[in-house]
């Protein structure tokens, strides 16, 4: 028998892989807008702390104990300039405190100390306090915009560091701990005052910042580009890098001074260069999914452009592109949510900043 052996060559048609869209999330800082912005020239505040007579500053052994001055300067209202009390500020805050109380102290065993090679127990107090205050804020028109009465209750650990150099034996028994506590009562009172005042100022800041403050917030930009073996995307890589560098410059400048207009020349040029590349790329848009600028990539480039135009204060173009992205079936769910978020939350902020506060 003669066997005929035939080699079969199977030809498999492999479709060309579509180019992949990539996204880098970059961030920059900007300021959230207040609900009740003060007029230009009135964006200042002052605050005065009126201590109850029993809340005095202590000194022991000639050494100054930290008082409320250790907390200042404190930015009570972000973005507003602090002025001296009585200098006709936009918002004047008065804080009146009541005597603070120690509600209880619980001796607690801390980490053991090593004495002469031996491990011995140490103790500290968990001290519960309460501190009542009233805060009143009056604006430049004489209207009372805040009037609250609250109690803060910071918990203090005494001593803050149990194994204090030079005197670990002071805390190796409960009676010794009590002796140290009584001897350093003034220091402890000062600690309570500082922590309580910090808590009070935070409560007031949380109340006033939404009304008047320009609070720094971080915003994220999803910058899209493409990768693929079938086409060269070095131009989109360059555009992405231009915007990254521009954002980095903005972030550094904003952190230094949140009120400086970010659009200094170098960043403007970088954003403009990125826009030029993306606009040119969109002219190559094709319905072919294997094209260099296929529909999905084109939709992502439009989102890039919407963000870039927003950064250059060209808000009509930016808003039109955001709307186009939101309704574009080629844009993924995540990208659409990004477009909605940026248009709703950040476009108004950029508009307001461009015309000044």
């Amino acid at each position: 028998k003669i066997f005929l052996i035939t080699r079969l060559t199977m030809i498999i048609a492999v479709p060309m892989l579509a180019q992949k869209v990539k996204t880098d999330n970059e961030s920059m800082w900007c300021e959230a807008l207040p609900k009740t912005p003060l007029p230009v020239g009135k964006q200042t505040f002052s605050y005065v702390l009126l201590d109850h007579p029993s809340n005095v500053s202590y000194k022991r052994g000639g050494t100054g104990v930290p008082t409320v001055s250790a907390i200042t300067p404190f930015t009570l209202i972000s973005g507003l300039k602090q002025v001296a009390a009585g200098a006709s500020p936009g918002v004047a805050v008065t804080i009146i405190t009541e005597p603070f109380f120690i509600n209880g102290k619980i001796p607690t065993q801390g980490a053991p100390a090593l004495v002469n090679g031996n491990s011995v127990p140490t103790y500290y107090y968990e001290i519960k306090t309460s501190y009542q205050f009233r805060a009143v804020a009056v604006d430049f028109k004489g209207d009372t915009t805040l009037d609250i009465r609250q109690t803060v209750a910071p918990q203090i650990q005494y001593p803050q560091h149990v194994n204090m150099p030079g005197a670990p034996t002071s805390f190796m028994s409960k009676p010794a701990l009590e002796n140290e506590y009584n001897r350093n009562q003034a220091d402890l009172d000062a600690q309570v005052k500082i922590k309580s005042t910090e808590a009070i100022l935070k409560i007031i800041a949380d109340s006033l910042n939404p009304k008047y403050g320009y609070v720094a917030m971080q915003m994220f930009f999803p910058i899209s580009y493409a990768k693929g073996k079938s086409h060269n995307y070095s131009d989109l890589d360059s555009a992405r890098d231009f915007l990254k560098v521009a954002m980095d410059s903005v972030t550094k400048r904003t952190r230094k001074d949140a009120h400086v207009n970010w659009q200094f020349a170098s960043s403007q040029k970088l954003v403009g260069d990125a826009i030029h590349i993306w606009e040119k790329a969109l002219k190559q848009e094709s319905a072919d999914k294997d094209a260099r600028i296929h529909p999905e990539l084109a939709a992502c480039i439009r989102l890039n452009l919407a963000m870039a135009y927003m950064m250059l204060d060209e808000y009509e173009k930016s808003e039109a592109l955001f709307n186009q992205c939101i309704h574009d079936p080629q844009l993924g769910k995540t990208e659409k949510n990004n477009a909605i978020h940026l248009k709703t939350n950040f476009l108004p902020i950029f508009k307001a900043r461009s015309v000044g506060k």
Side-chain angles (χ1 to χ4, degrees), residues 1-151:
K1 296 180 180 180
I2 300 174
F3 294 90
L4 182 62
I5 301 175
T6 306
R7 177 185 292 178
L8 297 178
T9 302
M10 186 175 290
I11 301 175
I12 302 175
V14 180
M16 183 182 294
L17 295 175
Q19 318 312 313
K20 292 184 179 180
V21 177
K22 302 282 188 178
T23 301
D24 283 356
N25 284 311
E26 295 298 314
S27 66
M28 63 178 285
W29 290 84
C30 64
E31 297 165 317
L33 299 178
K35 294 178 181 177
T36 313
L38 294 168
V40 175
K42 294 291 185 180
Q43 293 177 2
T44 58
F45 74 93
S46 68
Y47 76 91
V48 59
L49 178 68
L50 301 179
D51 270 343
H52 187 278
S54 68
N55 296 337
V56 297
S57 300
Y58 296 93
K59 288 190 176 182
R60 180 177 61 82
T63 303
V65 176
T67 64
V68 69
S69 62
I71 300 166
T72 57
F74 184 90
T75 304
L76 200 65
I77 307 176
S78 296
L80 271 59
K81 183 179 179 181
Q82 183 178 346
V83 297
S88 299
V91 180
V93 183
T94 303
I95 306 163
I96 307 161
T97 67
E98 297 295 327
F100 63 81
F101 298 96
I102 292 178
N103 299 327
K105 57 184 193 296
I106 303 170
T108 305
Q109 186 166 331
L114 193 64
V115 178
N116 297 325
N118 298 316
S119 179
V120 296
T122 61
Y123 296 88
Y124 64 91
Y125 279 132
E126 289 285 1
I127 301 170
K128 296 182 178 180
T129 69
S130 63
Y131 200 40
Q132 295 180 335
F133 74 96
R134 179 187 180 193
V136 179
V138 179
D139 69 12
F140 66 98
K141 296 180 291 186
D143 296 333
T144 299
T145 61
L146 178 71
D147 190 345
I148 58 174
R149 297 174 184 269
Q150 268 186 254
T151 300

Side-chain angles (χ1 to χ4, degrees), residues 32-37 76-78 202-215:
L33 299 178
K35 294 178 181 177
T36 313
L76 200 65
I77 307 176
S78 296
K202 185 178 186 306
I203 290 170
I204 298 170
D206 289 346
S207 299
L208 293 180
N209 267 315
K211 292 183 179 181
Y212 305 114
Y214 295 81
V215 181

Side-chain angles (χ1 to χ4, degrees), residues 321-340:
L321 284 163
F322 277 133
N323 289 333
Q324 185 176 352
C325 291
I326 291 168
H327 298 98
D328 191 338
Q330 296 295 335
L331 205 62
K333 182 178 179 181
T334 299
E335 289 73 19
K336 282 190 178 183
N337 288 339
N338 286 333
I340 293 169

Side-chain angles (χ1 to χ4, degrees), residues 241-253:
D241 293 341
F242 289 156
L243 208 63
K244 280 185 177 183
V245 173
M247 288 182 182
D248 186 55
S249 299
V250 174
T251 296
K252 290 175 181 176
R253 190 177 181 91

